[in-house]
């Protein structure tokens, strides 16, 4: 059984940016592709970024107990981690990277307490978070409003996770994320040796 690296934060804090970097850097990580009922963004691909589905399809899978965890993150917008993703990635003998909301992160940690590293991505300030989300230009005004409202609550969850990573300067944050992952997955005894091996 591999490990679980859970990246969580309010919308706009930089989860996707950090998870994508980790996946590019470490080929021992596989991305848990979540199911969602929200609309696909232009740059997203079904089966790569998410499994996009209707609310009915999602609810059917939920009834069949296909989810390790799920949340109605925004009204009528469901997101969930499929048990089959965890099996798929472990069969490839990889560790798993997740990009989930704060409740999903808590649920995954609860299911796999020893094997999970849950990292909370903290924006430098709430104003900067909102600025990033707006500048990303993926959301309309209604969606931005929902995300802003939720982010205030989500920022209070910071202390519930194993690590807090402040995403101010991006290059620094990416390096810190790499170090946190390596430190968690390497065997505890031969610290420097295993780090070198993994970096090759
Ligand atoms: P999330 O997945 O948490 O919603 P994203 O990774 O999409 O967040 O990041 C939100 C926006 O902020 C994106 O446009 C991204 O390019 C930008 N961004 C991420 N990290 C930083 C940073 N450290 N400084 C400035 N902009 C950033
Ligand atoms: P977005 O619509 O911006 O892609 O994601 C909105 C929120 O849903 C983010 O906080 C994201 O991490 C979260 N999310 C994505 N996939 C899942 C999932 O499988 N489970 C849960 N609980 N949240 C998810």
């Amino acid at each position: 059984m591999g490990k679980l690296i859970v990246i969580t934060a309010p919308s706009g804090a930089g989860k996707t940016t950090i998870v994508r970097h980790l996946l590019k850097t470490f080929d021992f990580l596989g991305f848990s592709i979540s199911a969602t009922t929200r609309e696909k963004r232009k740059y997203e691909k079904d089966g790569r970024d998410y499994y996009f589905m209707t609310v009915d399809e999602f609810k059917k899978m939920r009834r069949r107990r296909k989810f390790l965890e799920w949340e109605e993150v925004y009204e009528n917008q469901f997101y969930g981690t499929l048990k089959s993703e965890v099996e798929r990635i472990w069969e490839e003998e990889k560790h798993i990277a997740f990009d989930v909301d704060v409740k999903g992160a808590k649920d995954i940690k609860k299911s796999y307490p020893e094997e999970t590293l849950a990292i909370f991505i903290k924006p430098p300030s709430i104003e900067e978070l909102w600025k990033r989300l707006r500048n990303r230009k993926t959301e309309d005004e209604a969606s931005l409003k929902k995300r802003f409202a939720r982010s205030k609550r989500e920022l209070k969850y910071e202390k519930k996770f194993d690590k807090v990573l402040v995403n101010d300067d991006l290059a620094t944050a990416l390096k810190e994320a790499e170090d946190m992952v390596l430190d968690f997955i390497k065997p505890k005894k031969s610290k420097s040796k295993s780090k070198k091996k993994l970096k090759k």
Side-chain angles (χ1 to χ4, degrees):
M1 186 162 129
K3 304 239 163 107
L4 303 90
I5 309 293
V6 180
I7 307 292
T8 190
S11 183
K15 291 182 298 288
T16 310
T17 308
I18 290 169
V19 169
R20 280 191 181 167
H21 171 79
L22 291 174
L23 290 164
K24 233 173 37 195
T25 308
F26 298 133
D27 56 9
F28 55 77
L29 283 180
F31 180 53
S32 165
I33 304 164
S34 295
T36 184
T37 66
R38 86 144 157 74
E39 276 193 24
K40 193 168 78 61
R41 295 175 189 146
K42 260 191 259 157
Y43 57 84
E44 288 176 328
K45 212 172 136 193
D46 187 32
R48 183 191 68 185
D49 299 289
Y50 279 108
Y51 298 114
F52 293 95
M53 55 181 70
T54 63
V55 173
D56 278 351
E57 284 166 339
F58 192 100
K59 287 186 174 168
K60 202 189 265 175
M61 296 190 90
R62 199 177 61 184
R63 276 199 303 278
R64 292 182 182 160
R65 301 188 181 283
K66 300 283 187 194
F67 291 110
L68 170 63
E69 61 77 34
W70 64 271
E71 285 298 327
E72 187 174 3
V73 177
Y74 307 106
E75 198 185 353
N76 228 26
Q77 276 183 20
F78 295 85
Y79 296 79
T81 303
L82 292 157
K83 291 177 186 167
S84 55
E85 283 296 290
V86 174
E87 286 156 16
R88 170 180 71 79
I89 297 164
W90 277 344
E91 263 169 32
E92 291 171 11
E93 301 196 337
K94 290 184 175 187
H95 303 297
I96 312 175
F98 298 84
D99 171 342
V100 294
D101 86 317
V102 289
K103 287 188 182 157
K106 273 177 64 193
D107 288 346
I108 294 170
K109 180 82 186 176
K110 210 163 146 194
S111 296
Y112 298 99
E114 296 303 317
E115 300 83 1
T116 299
L117 172 69
I119 306 175
F120 183 87
I121 310 297
K122 186 177 172 171
S125 67
I126 197 152
E127 291 77 19
E128 174 65 19
L129 172 78
W130 291 353
K131 198 171 107 190
R132 283 181 193 173
L133 197 50
R134 197 176 276 284
N135 288 347
R136 194 174 68 189
K137 295 191 166 59
T138 52
E139 312 303 313
D140 60 22
E141 275 306 313
S143 172
L144 279 174
K145 235 178 170 177
K146 280 194 270 183
R147 282 164 193 258
F148 290 167
R150 193 179 166 95
S151 62
K152 274 193 193 159
R153 261 178 291 139
E154 288 177 327
L155 282 172
K156 296 191 183 129
Y157 275 72
E158 152 181 355
K159 294 204 168 60
K160 304 211 180 282
F161 300 104
D162 301 312
K163 299 269 182 200
V164 176
L165 199 171
V166 178
N167 181 18
D168 188 355
D169 171 63
L170 183 59
T172 309
L174 296 179
K175 178 72 176 66
E176 277 175 16
E178 286 178 26
D179 288 345
M180 284 178 189
V181 170
L182 287 174
D183 197 49
F184 184 69
I185 64 158
K186 75 191 169 195
K188 292 291 173 229
K189 272 186 182 167
S190 51
K191 262 189 169 180
S192 53
K193 247 187 181 175
S194 62
K195 190 165 179 174
K196 266 189 198 152
K197 261 189 193 161
L198 286 164
K199 274 200 157 170
K200 269 187 187 168

